[in-house]
Each structure stands twice: as C-alpha cells, then as structure tokens.
Amino acid sequence: MSAKIKKIGVMTSGGDAPGMNAAIRSVVRTCAYHNIECVGIYRGYQGLIEGEMKELNARSVRNIINRGGTILKSARSKEFRTKEGRQKAHENLVKNDIEALVLIGGDGTFTGGMIFNEEFGYPVIGIPGTIDNDIYGTMSTLGYDTALNTVVEAIDRIRDTASSHDRLFFVEVMGRDAGHIALNVGVGAGAEEILIPEENLGLERLLESLEHSRTTGKTSSIVVVAEGDKSGKNVFELAEYVEENLPNYDIRVSVLGHMQRGGSPSCYDRVLASRMGVKAVETLLEGKSNYMVGVIKDEIILTPLDLAVKGKSEIDKELIRVSEIMST
C-alpha cells in the first residue's frame, strides 16, 4: 500500500443521516492507524470555502459512534457552485496541506466532488450518507437502516391508536424520488397499502383496496405514503379524497417528517460506516480517486462517482409483490 498522501480531509454535506459520525470516526482512526494526519472540515463545502477546519486524532472522535447527526455539521453552499467559490476551497486545502478528501453525503455532495476533481485534479472518495437509500452502487446507504427502524416503531404506535378507534391512518414518510423507506416499512409494519413514486397504483385502485379491506372485516388500516408518491395529490388531499368517496372511514393523517433523520444509529449502520470509512481512506492510499464506497451482497465495493450520481437505484420488485400478497 502506498503512503504518499500525508493528510486527508473529511467532511459531511447535504442532509444529515444516522451513521455519519460513525463514518467520521472510522476515517479519522484509519488515518491514525496508517500514520496520516486527518482534518475535519465543518459545514461541508461552505466550511471548506471559509477555511473552517480542525485537526482530528483518534481521541477526538471518541464516544461519537452512537450519536446521530454529524459533529462536523452540514450546510448547503451556493458559493461552491461557482468557479470562484471552488477556487477559494482549493486554496484553503493547499494552504492546509490537505491532499485528498473523503466526502460523506448524497448525490449533490458527490456531484460537487466530481466537479472539484475535474477542475483541480483533486483526489476525492465518497461515502453514501442519506436515509433515502437512493444512491446507485450500494444496497444500503448510511442512515437507511436506522430510519427504517425509527419509522416502523412510529407506525407500530400509530397502529395502536388506529385499532383502538377503528381509524384509517395515512402515514407520510420521506422519499421524494425513491420509495425504499415506504416499501420496506410498509411491509415491516403490516400496512394495508403502500404508495411509492415508482409505482402509480391509481386512486381508484386505492379506493377498491380500502373498501375490500373493510368488507373483509378490517376495522382499522394503515396506508404508508412516500412524500414523492405520483398519485397527483399530497397526503392531506389524498385523505380528503378517500374520505369523500368512502365516508364510513374515520381518517387521520400523520406526517413523520424529520424525526426519521434523527436518533442513535443502528448496529448495522455503525458497522457499515466503520467498514466504509476504512475502505475510503485505504482507497485513497492506493492512489485511486473519484469513487464511491458501497456495499453489495455484504461486500464493500467501489463505484465510479459519475455512475453513483447518474445511475438510478432500483426498487425491489419482489418486495412489491410480497406487499401485495400481505395486504390481502
């Protein structure tokens, strides 16, 4: 293994996700293991432009593996989208002798990294951190497993109320462009219907399904709705539409919102973050750049950043079929 790189920077960008701190810890301690300096860059690309950074060592990241969010903070940066902003960022890296970057975030983070690499030839490696699990090149992103557990627990609690009062609950979960959370928690929580962006089942089919459930003896129901569902109505309009057409239902809406992002990461996310952090640093030491670290069939792999950004994560068709059978 080559040890030409002497100092690596690590940053988090975009929406926070449980497991980001575990990934930061892994990057820092892998650097320490290989006798490389590590610098934490605060507030993503904006902090890089403003030179907001601090040297980290193995003790700097103690007791963070169990914490949600990110100790390095995160922020959107309009300035980094400009050539001038990126030039400032590069100057700060050179001034601080930082020779490579580990970027923890989603497709926006990786897009910025690719542009930075093209313009300055600067080595970058990405670690996917987003609860939506919508990144090509990995079966699971950091935070996804934790978000599933958080949402299932919330829906279990909602079902207690639904059963007690014979109510129909529409529960909106995150997933603007991908329905991975909705599909998996829908199956895991026993939802009667699951509405996701990838499958437009139609409003009439929803009405038929709910009416069938009622005539076969179900006195309460849960419908999980991804925020990006393509039914043409938001979750409140959807509830109103069903109430107008099926007046016998007592309907409530619950939008889980940003609670899905928070909380202590699951064991799976902590272990995955640790594995990805090691791979990211060692990939840079091997002289490779412009890759994203991912996991496929429990094997840590590398995917070119452009494929990770341009590719589309596939919804599990077999799980859709399972959900249809389970809602009978």
Side-chain angles (χ1 to χ4, degrees), residues 265-277:
S266 65
C267 181
Y268 179 83
D269 275 330
R270 299 183 197 191
V271 173
L272 182 60
S274 300
R275 296 174 70 191
M276 285 182 169

Side-chain angles (χ1 to χ4, degrees), residues 195-321:
L195 305 181
I196 58 177
E198 294 86 349
E199 297 280 320
N200 185 2
L201 300 180
L203 295 175
E204 292 308 310
R205 154 71 192 276
L206 174 63
L207 293 177
E208 290 173 6
S209 175
L210 292 173
E211 184 61 22
H212 174 74
S213 295
R214 192 154 186 95
T215 57
T216 56
K218 286 187 180 180
T219 57
S220 65
S221 293
I222 300 287
V223 177
V224 175
V225 185
E227 60 183 341
D229 169 55
K230 299 297 192 296
S231 65
K233 298 180 180 292
N234 65 41
V235 67
F236 293 100
E237 292 172 337
L238 197 59
E240 289 177 6
Y241 177 81
V242 172
E243 196 166 31
E244 290 171 2
N245 288 274
L246 299 176
N248 290 329
Y249 270 112
D250 184 11
I251 299 175
R252 296 290 186 276
V253 173
S254 181
V255 178
L256 298 186
H258 283 81
M259 68 168 288
Q260 297 161 84
R261 288 192 185 279
S264 182
S266 65
C267 181
Y268 179 83
D269 275 330
R270 299 183 197 191
V271 173
L272 182 60
S274 300
R275 296 174 70 191
M276 285 182 169
V278 171
K279 183 67 172 179
V281 172
E282 295 186 344
T283 297
L284 286 170
L285 295 182
E286 291 167 359
K288 297 176 182 176
S289 174
N290 243 18
Y291 285 98
M292 182 197 76
V293 180
V295 60
I296 300 291
K297 296 182 179 178
D298 203 37
E299 179 183 354
I300 299 297
I301 65 160
L302 296 175
T303 298
L305 274 182
D306 62 338
L307 286 182
V309 170
K310 296 175 184 176
K312 185 172 178 58
S313 63
E314 296 292 332
I315 201 74
D316 189 338
K317 298 291 187 181
E318 175 60 17
L319 194 55
I320 292 176
R321 192 177 77 87

Side-chain angles (χ1 to χ4, degrees), residues 40-56:
I41 299 160
Y42 290 84
R43 297 190 302 114
Y45 288 120
Q46 191 59 36
L48 188 56
I49 290 171
E50 297 174 7
E52 192 176 347
M53 50 188 73
K54 178 182 178 181
E55 289 199 17
L56 302 174

